[in-house]
Amino acid sequence: MKKLIWLFAFIVIAFTLQARSDSYKSGSLLWKISGKDLSNPSYLLGTFHLKPGEYIDSIPGARASLEASEQVIGEIDTKDMMSEMMVMQQKMMMPADTTYHMLYNDSDYQTVDEGLKAIFGTGLEQLGKLKPSGIQMIYLQILITRYYPGLNPMNMLDAYIQKEAAENQKPVHGLESLEGQCFVLFESSSLERQAELLLCNIRSSEGKDALDEMKILLDRMETDYNRGALNELYKIYASDPSNPCPNTPEELDIINKSRNDAWMKKLPELMRDKSSFIAVGALHLAGEEGLLNQLEKAGYQVEAVKN
């Protein structure tokens, strides 16, 4: 499912989706933020959410910057995730007054049902209690398990950084809640639109091995991530003409731009209060609406950390 693979890519590194990126900052995963009203610098790290925590020692300057900072800021406070998982489960569920027979005609219902049986071994009779976006999320989890069989969710880079902060008695702040992220994934588009995308995904997956396509994509992404090539990561998504089920500009704004804008309302005060180590998905840094560009426009000095 090509579209699902792109959604997976968004979850992994949180893509910023704009048409051009060449003129924006790139070449590093770690950036120093200084000037304006900051008495001490803060640092902004772009993460790859499936990297193990120990990868921080492969990023020039990251360990030292983390140790020098007074607090850590992430997309969400990971220690609250387990207590909030019930929220995600609730957001994934189909409303009691809606069924897939209401969202699809008979032909499209059969297409989706048969497609899901080919993937899960079970169809809409069992999975129909979930929203279309919820079904997509379950499918992504299956791919993640197959591709990363030894993955430890509590030792991924973002969680590791926050764990290090907590062990050193440093405050940890989340820029948004899990409920806010669930809104983006499960509530920001109508059930009709979700059903349309699920149908498109099923149709476009015929005769393809989604796992092989995901591996090719992730290998490209990881290579560019390892060298801090934010612009190249940016282009992988933004310029791919083969995506059969593209999002609308409005959907892309909700996925990324609106989140960056909301974070920019919080970051200045947090950085002014304490020197901060900010760790968010790498492509929240990139492009015109990315945090690097927005911070620079706001009057901060933003420079790459190379060692």
Side-chain angles (χ1 to χ4, degrees):
M1 289 185 177
K2 188 77 169 182
K3 175 61 182 177
L4 290 178
I5 295 168
W6 286 122
L7 177 58
F8 176 82
F10 160 70
I11 292 172
V12 170
I13 61 171
F15 277 113
T16 300
L17 311 173
Q18 302 291 334
R20 295 181 56 83
S21 63
D22 290 357
S23 61
Y24 301 108
K25 293 182 181 296
S26 188
S28 179
L29 297 175
L30 182 65
W31 299 78
K32 180 181 177 181
I33 306 164
S34 59
K36 200 174 180 180
D37 56 359
L38 301 184
S39 56
N40 294 298
S42 288
Y43 297 89
L44 176 57
L45 175 69
T47 64
F48 188 93
H49 295 330
L50 295 180
K51 284 286 190 183
E54 293 75 16
Y55 188 77
I56 191 172
D57 294 314
S58 301
I59 303 172
R63 174 71 69 176
S65 300
L66 174 60
E67 292 176 352
S69 300
E70 298 174 272
Q71 65 183 0
V72 162
I73 301 170
E75 293 182 27
I76 61 174
D77 187 340
T78 57
K79 73 175 182 298
D80 296 332
M81 284 189 65
M82 293 308 296
S83 62
E84 294 183 359
M85 287 304 294
M86 186 64 69
V87 173
M88 175 175 285
Q89 294 174 13
Q90 292 171 347
K91 299 292 185 182
M92 291 172 63
M93 301 304 292
M94 185 78 89
D97 60 353
T98 307
T99 69
Y100 278 89
H101 284 292
M102 298 166 63
L103 297 174
Y104 293 129
N105 60 38
D106 290 344
S107 176
D108 290 343
Y109 182 98
Q110 182 176 356
T111 297
V112 172
D113 187 57
E114 292 176 353
L116 293 177
K117 287 177 180 176
I119 298 166
F120 296 105
T122 188
L124 285 173
E125 184 176 350
Q126 292 78 25
L127 295 171
K129 294 181 180 180
L130 298 174
K131 292 177 181 176
S133 54
I135 292 175
Q136 292 188 359
M137 180 63 69
I138 299 298
Y139 179 65
L140 293 173
Q141 291 173 350
I142 290 174
L143 290 186
I144 291 169
T145 300
R146 290 175 61 190
Y147 193 62
Y148 294 91
L151 182 67
N152 178 1
M154 298 313 296
N155 190 48
M156 292 187 288
L157 185 54
D158 300 73
Y160 178 89
I161 289 169
Q162 294 190 21
K163 179 174 176 288
E164 287 281 297
E167 290 177 351
N168 288 282
Q169 290 78 52
K170 295 182 180 182
V172 175
H173 300 277
L175 291 168
E176 61 190 15
S177 65
L178 181 60
E179 185 171 2
Q181 291 194 344
C182 286
F183 171 81
V184 173
L185 292 171
F186 306 121
E187 297 184 323
S188 60
S189 60
S190 68
L191 292 173
E192 289 77 13
R193 173 60 175 164
Q194 292 179 34
E196 177 186 348
L197 289 174
L198 180 59
L199 176 63
C200 181
N201 296 331
I202 295 293
R203 286 175 171 165
S204 66
S205 68
E206 294 179 354
K208 299 179 180 179
D209 188 324
L211 185 63
D212 288 346
E213 291 197 32
M214 185 186 73
K215 184 178 187 304
I216 292 170
L217 176 63
L218 283 180
D219 286 347
R220 290 172 58 198
M221 288 164 48
E222 189 164 13
T223 296
D224 287 331
Y225 176 81
N226 288 343
R227 60 192 183 93
L230 301 182
N231 286 339
E232 294 305 312
L233 285 170
Y234 198 105
K235 291 176 186 176
I236 289 174
Y237 192 103
S239 62
D240 181 48
S242 64
N243 184 356
C245 310
N247 290 106
T248 66
E250 293 78 15
E251 288 167 344
L252 299 184
D253 280 351
I254 292 172
I255 288 171
N256 202 79
K257 178 182 181 298
S258 63
R259 296 171 70 206
N260 287 347
D261 291 348
W263 296 353
M264 279 300 300
K265 294 177 181 178
K266 298 180 179 181
L267 284 172
E269 182 177 352
L270 288 167
M271 293 189 299
R272 188 167 57 247
D273 182 45
K274 289 183 174 69
S275 175
S276 304
F277 189 89
I278 307 156
V280 298
L283 277 143
H284 279 295
L285 277 59
E288 181 177 1
E289 304 299 337
L291 295 178
L292 295 175
N293 192 50
Q294 291 208 48
L295 285 164
E296 195 165 59
K297 283 186 173 182
Y300 297 97
Q301 183 178 347
V302 180
E303 53 188 319
V305 177
K306 297 291 188 178
N307 51 52

